[in-house]
Amino acid sequence: MTTLEPEYQNLIEAGKQDLKGDAVGAALEEIALKALEFLREKCKRVKLFSKVPGKDYFAFTPKDGKGELSRPVNKALFDARVTKKQLQTIFGKGIVKVDQDLLARLLYSLAISYCAATDLTKKDDKKTPGTFFEVLVGHLVSRAFGTNPQKEIKIPTLDIENKLPTDYVFDLGQGKNRIHLPVKISTRERIVQVWAHQRILDAMHGVNRFTGILICLTETNKQKDSSVIEVCLPGQWAAYQMYIGQLRRVYYLDVPEKYKPLVESYPFIQVKSFASFFREIDRLTKASPLA
Amino acid sequence: MTTLEPEYQNLIEAGKQDLKGDAVGAALEEIALKALEFLREKCKRVKLFSKVPGKDYFAFTPKDGKGELSRPVNKALFDARVTKKQLQTIFGKGIVKVDQDLLARLLYSLAISYCAATDLTKKDDKKTPGTFFEVLVGHLVSRAFGTNPQKEIKIPTLDIENKLPTDYVFDLGQGKNRIHLPVKISTRERIVQVWAHQRILDAMHGVNRFTGILICLTETNKQKDSSVIEVCLPGQWAAYQMYIGQLRRVYYLDVPEKYKPLVESYPFIQVKSFASFFREIDRLTKASPLA
């Protein structure tokens, strides 16, 4: 029985020590290559009926299994033959030079590798794929920013000591904006939390003190009949962006079709491929987003 | 095998027709009396180790079962011998005259009856207890307000048609405040949604246009060792109340110990027993809460 447990523990430990450190990149490389090998060698692909226009999805199933299916995998974005050398371009400084389409495939293949393999090797494990994805994104973003994040903020009040657990927050130092960077495998109805936390930061510290950047893997959902849909709530997102707080960017590794038009009409939520993040860091971290 | 399925379907159907109508009261009475009879006749009590100071909890287990346990039941608030006549005082106009301690016990016994019975008759059913509790509270509140609620609001914008699904919202007519009334079995970390929806209503329609009233059953949690704790996040609630929106009241059927002190220090969140709601409706529905 294949298990990725030792590699996963190794990754978590490295992330706790120094999220932006080389050891995390090495651990991500190790776990992804092992997961991809498992998917390549021990599994086969099952085509899923995609209800998402323009996108094909398949699932993995163990060759010797009882027909269990992994989560949906985007055919165009997945490459089971990602090499060690390719992964090293992601973890090095050259990431900004990698072709955008290739980078999108490398990032997606890396992220989905552990998740799909875990679907088949560890029954009902929803927690470790989420944590894996958070460490993966946290590592890449920390390297890009050159600093590690925190995961709670103090709430300054006149006479009360209080603190709030948050997603990642980055202090980039003098002359730069701070970053509020939640990371989610998928969003569903809970996502209002992200806007609510942005609102708390804005209300506590002033609007435009923290730049909100949400990073998600996908919104795919495998239905009981094995068809694939994307669960999207564009109308609710618009209401959150208008009335709760303003996220500056929402990046996906597999951008949902129904969120693509959000950028074109008010309130103009900027939904993009995560691959494009690395080329616009200077713009996102400027002291004033209105400059 | 006892099942409450027909009574449950009957209740849901009646609620859809007219939430404040007599048929809903009759259906609630029927389902509660049957659930209580099941708990009284077919089950026995197992004492749980309560880690909540000043509160005793037990669980029900079927006399002929394999030791399955229901959710925790508050010993002081539960009365398995609630009578039809007593329940009829709740559903009639006399509810405001019922002694507060007795009313608290009647409301709690009614609410927990179906939930505890369902824990033992329908494995892993988390949905119907939530819906049952929503209909129970919705019925009592609709009768008290004299009008039925809606469950979505239109989002008025310059050029976009949009709507947002919400918990109950009540329009009490000219000269009275509108009411935003979420109902939850328990809150946990998702509860930020309630403050976020209050914020959207305030931002869309103006502060103090909708009075926010949250109604919850309990925050008890049965641990793996069968001890009982209350899961409370008072610091986070304070941050939500300070920076996202202001709820006017939070009512519980089993008020958590850690939320009781919230009323005593800034931001003075008003957490109370649901029994007291019926006596302060005039104050809560006045056109201006600041008057």
Side-chain angles (χ1 to χ4, degrees), chain A residues 86-149:
Chain A
Q86 284 177 317
L87 287 182
Q88 282 165 353
T89 63
I90 295 186
F91 299 123
K93 285 193 176 168
I95 190 168
V96 289
K97 293 180 197 152
V98 180
D99 169 79
Q100 290 283 287
D101 287 343
L102 174 60
L103 182 57
R105 282 201 302 283
L106 291 175
L107 290 168
Y108 180 82
S109 304
L110 177 57
I112 209 83
S113 65
Y114 175 78
C115 303
T118 301
D119 291 339
L120 300 173
T121 56
K122 214 172 151 194
K123 200 171 179 295
D124 291 332
D125 177 7
K126 285 180 185 164
K127 190 169 173 287
T128 76
T131 307
F132 166 82
F133 183 62
E134 191 178 76
V135 173
L136 164 61
V137 171
H139 174 69
L140 293 172
V141 171
S142 301
R143 284 182 91 86
F145 289 154
T147 189
N148 281 329

Side-chain angles (χ1 to χ4, degrees), chain A residues 19 138 141-142 145 147-150 168-172 177-181 210:
Chain A
L19 188 57
V141 171
S142 301
F145 289 154
T147 189
N148 281 329
Q150 292 187 290
Y168 292 136
V169 283
F170 292 88
D171 178 358
L172 303 183
N177 214 324
R178 284 161 200 258
I179 307 286
H180 167 223
L181 192 131
F210 283 81

Side-chain angles (χ1 to χ4, degrees), chain B residues 68 106 130 156 159 221 225:
Chain B
E68 319 89 293
L106 291 174
D159 48 15
N221 190 283
D225 65 0

Side-chain angles (χ1 to χ4, degrees), chain A residues 162 165 190 199 235-236 243, chain B residues 162 165 190 199 204 235-236 243:
Chain A
N162 199 354
R190 293 181 185 221
R199 163 78 190 164
Q236 291 184 33
Y243 299 118
Chain B
N162 198 354
R190 293 182 184 221
R199 163 77 191 166
M204 281 198 301
Q236 291 184 34
Y243 299 119

Side-chain angles (χ1 to χ4, degrees), chain A:
Chain A
M1 179 88 184
T2 301
T3 173
L4 298 163
E5 191 64 26
E7 290 80 6
Y8 175 78
Q9 291 304 340
N10 189 18
L11 173 67
I12 298 306
E13 201 43 52
K16 274 185 195 151
Q17 298 289 323
D18 177 13
L19 188 57
K20 68 175 169 31
D22 292 341
V24 177
L28 283 163
E29 193 184 298
E30 186 188 18
I31 197 168
L33 290 172
K34 190 168 172 193
L36 289 168
E37 185 190 354
F38 166 75
L39 295 171
R40 239 174 21 234
E41 309 290 334
K42 304 273 176 65
C43 301
K44 59 187 180 186
R45 299 181 180 200
V46 179
K47 190 176 159 55
L48 300 173
F49 174 57
S50 169
K51 293 184 175 171
V52 187
K55 288 185 177 181
D56 289 324
Y57 287 93
F58 66 89
F60 282 104
T61 189
K63 284 179 187 167
D64 60 357
K66 291 164 193 155
E68 320 88 292
L69 294 180
S70 74
R71 68 192 63 201
V73 179
N74 183 312
K75 195 178 162 191
L77 284 171
F78 183 76
D79 180 359
R81 303 197 173 276
V82 165
T83 62
K84 192 165 180 166
K85 205 172 157 190
Q86 284 177 317
L87 287 182
Q88 282 165 353
T89 63
I90 295 186
F91 299 123
K93 285 193 176 168
I95 190 168
V96 289
K97 293 180 197 152
V98 180
D99 169 79
Q100 290 283 287
D101 287 343
L102 174 60
L103 182 57
R105 282 201 302 283
L106 291 175
L107 290 168
Y108 180 82
S109 304
L110 177 57
I112 209 83
S113 65
Y114 175 78
C115 303
T118 301
D119 291 339
L120 300 173
T121 56
K122 214 172 151 194
K123 200 171 179 295
D124 291 332
D125 177 7
K126 285 180 185 164
K127 190 169 173 287
T128 76
T131 307
F132 166 82
F133 183 62
E134 191 178 76
V135 173
L136 164 61
V137 171
H139 174 69
L140 293 172
V141 171
S142 301
R143 284 182 91 86
F145 289 154
T147 189
N148 281 329
Q150 292 187 290
K151 289 205 76 179
E152 68 175 32
I153 43 167
K154 279 189 190 166
I155 300 177
T157 76
L158 297 175
D159 47 16
I160 314 166
E161 293 228 346
N162 199 354
K163 56 194 179 184
L164 188 74
T166 63
D167 295 280
Y168 292 136
V169 283
F170 292 88
D171 178 358
L172 303 183
Q174 194 66 27
K176 294 200 169 181
N177 214 324
R178 284 161 200 258
I179 307 286
H180 167 223
L181 192 131
V183 178
K184 311 282 173 193
I185 285 260
S186 66
T187 68
R188 305 297 187 270
E189 67 285 345
R190 293 181 185 221
I191 199 61
V192 69
Q193 190 198 55
V194 168
W195 272 271
H197 278 177
Q198 183 65 40
R199 163 78 190 164
I200 292 175
L201 292 168
D202 291 352
M204 282 198 300
H205 299 291
V207 172
N208 289 335
R209 195 83 173 88
F210 283 81
T211 294
I213 300 175
L214 168 61
I215 301 179
C216 308
L217 176 49
T218 178
E219 299 296 354
T220 53
N221 190 283
K222 192 166 81 233
Q223 307 282 283
K224 278 178 188 166
D225 64 0
S226 288
S227 65
V228 179
I229 60 166
E230 286 179 331
V231 181
C232 296
L233 303 165
Q236 291 184 33
W237 279 34
Y240 302 157
Q241 183 81 356
M242 288 165 72
Y243 299 118
I244 302 179
Q246 284 70 53
L247 300 182
R248 182 88 187 270
R249 289 285 184 280
V250 181
Y251 294 107
Y252 275 92
L253 274 66
D254 180 9
V255 186
E257 287 303 307
K258 283 186 191 149
Y259 287 153
K260 286 181 181 169
L262 285 177
V263 71
E264 285 158 23
S265 62
Y266 184 80
F268 306 105
I269 304 176
Q270 304 289 312
V271 180
K272 300 184 175 190
S273 164
F274 183 46
S276 61
F277 164 77
F278 301 93
R279 291 192 182 177
E280 55 176 357
I281 287 172
D282 284 349
R283 198 184 316 163
L284 296 175
T285 58
K286 264 204 300 212
S288 168
L290 303 177

